[in-house]
Amino acid sequence: MKFTELKLDERVLEAISFMGFEKATPIQEQAIPIVLEGGDLIACAQTGTGKTAAFVLPLIHKLIDKEEANVDALIIVPTRELAVQIEQQIQGLAYFAPVSSIAIYGGGDGVDFQQQKRALTKGTNIVVATPGKLLSHLNLGYVKVQNLKHLILDEADRMLDMGFIEDLSSIINYLPKDRQTLMFSATMPPSIRKLAKDILTDPKEVSLAISKPAAGVDQKVYLSFDEQKVGILAHLLKNRPDYDSVIVFTSTKSKVTEIVSALKKQGFKARGISSMLVQAEREEVLRMFRARRIRVLVATDVMSRGIDIKDLNMVVNYDVPNDAEDYVHRIGRTARVDAKGEAVTFISPKEMGKFARIESLIEMSIEKLAPPEELGKGPEWRANSSGGGGNRGRGGQGDGKRNFKSKSNQNRNRGNGRPNRGPSGEKKD
Ligand code: AMP
């Protein structure tokens, strides 16, 4: 569906077009009309589906011509990374609209607190906040929430997992009852249903099924300490001499360099691909990989989406991907119609919670293996590890497809008390 069919303000449509969004995603198609109508909504959708824009776009549309900025909309999220990421997306989508926003989260210094206090006292259209820090401000009595019209709980299941339920109820007690409430959650356990019953009025429901890994992919995980990961990778490659096309995904470009040099030392033909290479170099590396002149390609998470190579023998997630859609998308590259592909994920103790979450989303339990004996004992599996990963989004890199910094945002974002950024953060990895 085209965005123009969704009856959004022209200034919102202009920003959408600058962001490079061509058509609405399914969650946007379903949720935007409900939010525009003013009804309550409960939506089951994961990161990666475009769910942020599904509530941000109609919010901006509604607030665009408001004379006075109060705290008109409050978006509560579980982590500071998500708060920053959503607020960046608001800045991009409100680039041509006089709608102000601020991210409120803990961990800063006294200067940050004063800046947040100023923005909350003066009034800012959209506040994106983590529960604890927001509550500290609310308890001090100066936050202008008396005219609040929209409350959004994002990643509600995760907020409950993180023990924020009491903070959430205290926050909600401060808010006017006459408001629109939207709740987004990746899963719908009974605790979320109960919360929805308590705080939503006659909500419409939208649910998006997550894609599932293809049946032909043989998935396994190795429970390993960080220092064992290179050894396991070398072991896998040695034991699969017929594999001539393997991709390894890792989280940072410095790790790409580390892994490539460790593999080369052991005689494997490996090359890395990250933002450290200029475009022409990236293309050359990909060409060589496709021609099977490089056996192992090591890439950053950010590169992973841009690399369109299928028919691999094996995909290795050197680190656990940030969300289930990424996991499914990556391992799908190995599944050929006529053959089996292999997908291996290395899980360190701090990544166990994150992987357990992926398992629950794809509704599969993946076989957990210990490292080969010569590498020593690996960690024990703990599904409820706290290392669920703060940010299940795109690593807080901003969301825009283009980077257009030519226009000052200064007058467009009122009252957020700090320098404005461009509408889209440049992708980094
Ligand atoms: P989210 O699920 O909100 O974390 O969004 C995932 C990514 O999709 C973000 O990088 C967004 O900028 C991007 N995105 C959101 N809506 C669209 C769209 N309609 N078309 C293309 N990309 C989009």
Side-chain angles (χ1 to χ4, degrees), residues 102-342:
I102 187 174
I104 302 276
Y105 49 87
D109 51 23
V111 177
D112 283 347
F113 195 88
Q114 287 311 320
Q115 212 172 51
Q116 295 176 1
K117 179 177 170 184
R118 258 199 313 278
L120 292 170
T121 315
K122 225 167 73 173
T124 298
N125 293 120
I126 308 179
V127 171
V128 190
T130 51
K133 184 52 62 175
L134 175 66
L135 195 56
S136 322
H137 284 290
L138 282 166
N139 286 339
L140 291 166
Y142 44 71
V143 186
K144 289 172 87 178
V145 282
Q146 51 285 4
N147 295 318
L148 181 127
K149 290 277 178 293
H150 316 276
L151 169 68
I152 295 94
L153 301 186
D154 192 21
E155 302 210 351
D157 51 349
R158 195 151 160 63
M159 288 202 274
L160 295 197
D161 286 350
M162 289 169 75
F164 282 134
I165 186 72
E166 278 179 26
D167 281 358
L168 287 178
S169 341
S170 311
I171 291 168
I172 290 166
N173 280 338
Y174 277 105
L175 309 179
K177 294 216 165 14
D178 181 19
R179 55 159 204 265
Q180 177 180 39
T181 307
L182 317 173
M183 196 158 108
F184 288 78
S185 188
T187 54
M188 281 295 151
S191 55
I192 287 291
R193 294 261 165 221
K194 180 176 180 311
L195 180 66
K197 204 161 162 267
D198 292 347
I199 64 168
L200 301 176
T201 312
D202 201 10
K204 294 239 166 71
E205 198 164 330
V206 169
S207 183
L208 284 190
I210 186 162
S211 36
K212 294 278 188 310
V217 188
D218 175 16
Q219 304 172 63
K220 46 175 84 82
V221 304
Y222 278 94
L223 302 175
S224 51
F225 294 108
D226 283 334
E227 54 280 14
Q228 294 173 314
K229 290 184 173 181
V230 164
I232 305 175
L233 180 57
H235 171 91
L236 290 169
L237 293 170
K238 272 186 202 133
N239 283 311
R240 290 159 177 75
D242 55 321
Y243 282 14
D244 58 3
S245 196
V246 174
I247 284 197
V248 178
F249 291 113
T250 186
S251 53
T252 62
K253 53 190 172 194
S254 59
K255 275 203 199 161
V256 169
T257 315
E258 249 172 60
I259 298 167
V260 169
S261 101
L263 290 178
K264 278 187 175 164
K265 265 192 207 139
Q266 302 200 38
F268 297 109
K269 270 192 195 160
R271 286 288 295 271
I273 188 162
S274 73
S275 59
M276 265 155 65
L277 303 184
V278 297
Q279 190 59 31
E281 292 170 321
R282 289 180 205 169
E283 280 165 19
E284 174 60 14
V285 172
L286 287 176
R287 229 184 345 263
M288 286 171 69
F289 184 66
R290 283 197 187 99
R292 306 289 204 253
R293 283 163 54 205
I294 296 171
R295 186 178 175 209
V296 188
L297 182 69
V298 185
T300 51
D301 291 342
V302 170
M303 284 288 143
S304 77
R305 293 234 154 189
I307 300 174
D308 188 22
I309 300 178
K310 297 183 186 78
D311 292 359
L312 301 157
N313 304 115
M314 179 166 72
V315 167
V316 176
N317 292 307
Y318 198 85
D319 308 291
V320 177
N322 271 327
D323 64 74
E325 282 290 349
D326 273 345
Y327 179 79
V328 174
H329 183 68
R330 281 185 200 177
I331 70 173
R333 292 157 191 261
T334 68
R336 278 178 285 179
V337 183
D338 55 344
K340 273 201 152 196
E342 219 181 329

Side-chain angles (χ1 to χ4, degrees), residues 3 21 23-25 28 47-52 89 399 401:
F3 280 105
F21 297 175
K23 51 188 187 45
T25 64
Q28 292 163 357
T47 301
T49 54
K51 70 177 167 66
T52 312
Q89 198 160 151
D399 305 285
K401 297 279 178 279

